[in-house]
Amino acid sequence: MIDSEGYRPNVGIILVNAEGRVFWARRVGQDAWQFPQGGIRCEESPMEAMFRELREETGLLPKHVRLLGCTRDWLRYRLPHNLVRKRNFPVCIGQKQKWFLLRMIGSDQTVQLDHGHRPEFDDWRWVDFWQPLRDVVAFKREVYDSALHEFAPLVFPSDDVRMMACDAVRLRFGESE
């Protein structure tokens, strides 16, 4: 399903633990790390797609998480030209995503990366909330930045958010403390 502008509807999932660290997963056979994400099927709502993708990619069920928030708007990224499949019709130029923030309430042992028929991830870890801004592929960075900044007040007390956002900007531009 591609919209009239060439974007594929998708969901992104930021899973946070009690310490405010986020679930960071490595794509199978690659040195590429990302948050869980996936396409929305025609018959699904974004929330239904999110819970399906959560189950497929992490093995987690709704009982293992608590929904904390969803982005107000669709966040979009364009694919680099070399990743656009021009022979497909309609041509998909990128993704528009609804992002969900979930708190893990189950134990780490409930994560099962091999739950789906074709696992997307082969490793995972908890990382600092802002680390994905430094580590994600460049074409997804702006979307990650928007989602993390929108969700930060839901994860951290308001006094800490400004300081953490400044730290995130330094990380993004490669500055040291």
Side-chain angles (χ1 to χ4, degrees), residues 164-177:
M164 294 178 78
C166 290
D167 290 344
V169 169
R170 280 200 299 273
L171 284 174
R172 183 175 180 184
F173 294 104
E175 298 172 15
S176 59
E177 295 184 58

Side-chain angles (χ1 to χ4, degrees), residues 66-171:
R66 187 172 75 232
L67 179 64
L68 299 179
C70 176
T71 53
R72 289 182 298 276
D73 300 314
W74 291 94
L75 304 178
R76 290 174 169 75
Y77 68 80
R78 289 185 69 110
L79 292 166
H81 290 293
N82 62 319
L83 296 180
V84 174
R85 297 180 192 140
K86 295 175 179 69
R87 294 182 185 183
N88 289 2
F89 187 79
V91 174
C92 175
I93 63 165
Q95 295 192 4
K96 68 178 187 181
Q97 300 176 312
K98 278 289 187 178
W99 281 85
F100 292 87
L101 176 65
L102 305 175
R103 179 166 315 275
M104 176 86 152
I105 55 176
S107 73
D108 288 0
Q109 289 70 37
T110 57
V111 174
Q112 296 176 346
L113 299 181
D114 60 353
H115 179 76
H117 66 281
R118 285 184 47 208
E120 296 209 23
F121 303 121
D122 60 15
D123 195 12
W124 73 275
R125 60 184 176 226
W126 294 111
V127 299
D128 176 77
F129 187 82
W130 301 105
Q131 182 177 330
L133 291 180
R134 182 178 55 222
D135 295 345
V136 73
V137 295
F139 66 90
K140 293 183 180 181
R141 191 164 290 131
E142 190 173 326
V143 165
Y144 275 46
D145 185 65
S146 295
L148 287 167
H149 275 89
E150 187 169 339
F151 291 150
L154 300 174
V155 176
F156 304 103
S158 61
D159 291 343
D160 294 342
V161 171
R162 273 185 300 246
M163 186 175 77
M164 294 178 78
C166 290
D167 290 344
V169 169
R170 280 200 299 273
L171 284 174

Side-chain angles (χ1 to χ4, degrees), residues 11-81:
V11 293
I13 302 167
I14 298 175
L15 181 63
V16 65
N17 67 12
E19 291 79 39
R21 296 173 66 78
V22 293
F23 181 94
W24 198 226
R26 184 178 64 196
R27 294 187 57 84
V28 169
Q30 301 178 34
D31 188 28
W33 292 76
Q34 68 176 53
F35 290 128
Q37 68 174 59
I40 300 172
R41 296 177 181 160
C42 291
E43 72 282 357
E44 289 180 314
S45 70
M47 188 168 299
E48 290 168 334
M50 180 270 297
F51 280 118
R52 178 183 49 77
E53 288 292 336
L54 181 71
R55 173 89 167 147
E56 289 175 6
E57 295 187 3
T58 69
L60 297 174
L61 299 170
K63 70 180 181 181
H64 300 128
V65 298
R66 187 172 75 232
L67 179 64
L68 299 179
C70 176
T71 53
R72 289 182 298 276
D73 300 314
W74 291 94
L75 304 178
R76 290 174 169 75
Y77 68 80
R78 289 185 69 110
L79 292 166
H81 290 293

